[in-house]
Amino acid sequence: MNKAQFIAALAPHFNDSKKEAAHAVDIVFDTIVRNLHKGEDVMINDFGKFKKVDRKARIGRNPFTGETIKIKASKKARFLPAKGLKDVISGARKLGPAPKPEPKPVVKAKPVVAKKAAKKAPAKKKVAAKKAPAKKKVAAKKAPAKKVAKKAKKK
């Protein structure tokens, strides 16, 4: 499970808001990192303990060449699983049902009262009179020529 999948699994507990779930996850991780940086241990009951470990400088071997090399001193983060987590993983203890998200509160929307429009008199239907067949318009082609002529005069 990666971080995005973890956030998606938590979203139902935050009213299906991935943004709020991501914010909560970021706060938890940030708090753990900041406390480890200070040198403090972070103990979460039935889960485990995060702690900062100082490693001394030592001499090691290059596995390819067999030559000895110096390894510098460093600081590492270490996680020690709690007994409860070890028991669940080994199968000695069964997990209970997963916590269910709280049901979403049902909000009753107020009925929307539409404003009544003023009543207008019904439109009279026009009786279509029989028209003579339309004549072909020849003058339509002359209109663009006038526009061109006007543009030429402006220049």
Side-chain angles (χ1 to χ4, degrees), residues 132-138:
K135 296 180 181 180
K136 292 182 183 179
K137 293 184 180 180
V138 180

Side-chain angles (χ1 to χ4, degrees), residues 133-151:
K135 296 180 181 180
K136 292 182 183 179
K137 293 184 180 180
V138 180
K141 291 184 180 179
K142 293 181 182 177
K146 289 180 182 177
K147 289 180 183 177
V148 173
K150 286 181 182 178
K151 289 182 182 178

Side-chain angles (χ1 to χ4, degrees), residues 54-63 67-76:
D54 294 326
R55 301 189 72 186
K56 296 179 181 177
R58 61 188 196 278
I59 296 175
R61 290 198 178 269
N62 183 337
E67 132 186 33
T68 59
I69 56 172
K70 292 181 182 179
I71 302 171
K72 295 180 182 179
S74 62
K75 297 178 183 184
K76 304 286 181 188

